Amino acid sequence: MFAQFFTFSLLFTPFIIFVIAHDPDDFVRPLDRKMLGLDERKEKLSHFRFYWHDIVSGRNPSSVKIVSSPLKNSTTSFGLVNMIENPLTFGPQLSSKLVGKAQGFYASTSQSEVDLVMVMNFAIMEGKYNGSTITILGRNPVFNKEREMPVIGGSGLFRFARGYAQLRTHSFSLKTKDAIVEYNIYVLHY
């Protein structure tokens, strides 16, 4: 009888301690970094450079308008929303090596200047980062020579990522409204 009680105690004591220690009404609990494998891996700083192609013209656009500006005389297209799946290439030519896709949307958020809020996942398709994403959310005053937006996270090899992206317009066509933007992303990740 003692042996059965002892065996029962060894098997269920951790469960009992967990139930007592874990409040069922508490939706958050502290975690040990080791549980997620974060203590074994060192945080790295990586720099990515690629070109973002916003193609709104032609038969196969990568950026489509889903909401038009409700204002008839807006010079900034205030209220406009575009959904994107823009190619990310190694060089500025669209024919350059494809390294990923920018998936998300942008919206015109200013009545006085061309200013976008951008929400994008950069889905990387190249090398060891294939299948991982870098997530960016921020303000983009598109006619400034250089802009900066924060990296707010990621997935895969970019879990817990943080950093920033520097943007510089490489080319913009007034006729087609197509744009090529150079992105330099500096990201801390594990």
Side-chain angles (χ1 to χ4, degrees), residues 16-167:
I16 292 168
I17 290 171
F18 175 77
V19 169
I20 292 170
H22 182 70
D23 180 359
D25 294 328
D26 192 9
F27 67 95
V28 64
R29 63 186 170 105
L31 291 177
D32 184 355
R33 293 171 61 88
K34 291 177 188 172
M35 288 178 61
L36 297 174
L38 298 178
D39 270 2
E40 296 88 39
R41 299 186 307 179
K42 283 190 144 182
E43 196 170 36
K44 301 179 272 253
L45 175 61
S46 296
H47 171 228
F48 295 86
R49 187 187 81 172
F50 41 72
Y51 291 84
W52 180 89
H53 298 264
D54 194 47
I55 306 164
V56 296
S57 67
R59 293 190 347 226
N60 194 22
S62 64
S63 176
V64 294
K65 186 185 311 180
I66 57 172
V67 177
S68 296
S69 173
L71 305 176
K72 300 276 188 233
N73 297 324
S74 174
T75 58
T76 66
S77 296
F78 179 65
L80 167 108
V81 179
N82 270 41
M83 190 65 62
I84 66 167
E85 186 179 51
N86 289 349
L88 302 173
T89 61
F90 185 73
Q93 300 79 20
L94 187 55
S95 60
S96 181
K97 183 176 184 172
L98 183 70
V99 296
K101 293 184 178 182
Q103 298 171 321
F105 64 91
Y106 57 80
S108 178
T109 58
S110 176
Q111 296 184 54
S112 59
E113 63 180 310
V114 180
D115 195 6
L116 304 175
V117 66
M118 301 186 77
V119 180
M120 296 181 287
N121 283 314
F122 291 132
I124 308 299
M125 302 163 46
E126 184 62 30
K128 74 176 187 176
Y129 299 106
N130 184 22
S132 297
T133 64
I134 298 171
T135 304
I136 291 179
L137 166 68
R139 177 179 178 262
N140 181 1
V142 297
F143 289 122
N144 288 3
K145 184 177 179 180
E146 287 189 351
R147 290 92 70 197
E148 188 174 298
M149 292 192 301
V151 170
I152 62 166
S155 67
L157 293 176
F158 299 112
R159 290 182 192 141
F160 297 105
R162 62 192 189 286
Y164 67 98
Q166 287 181 324
L167 294 66

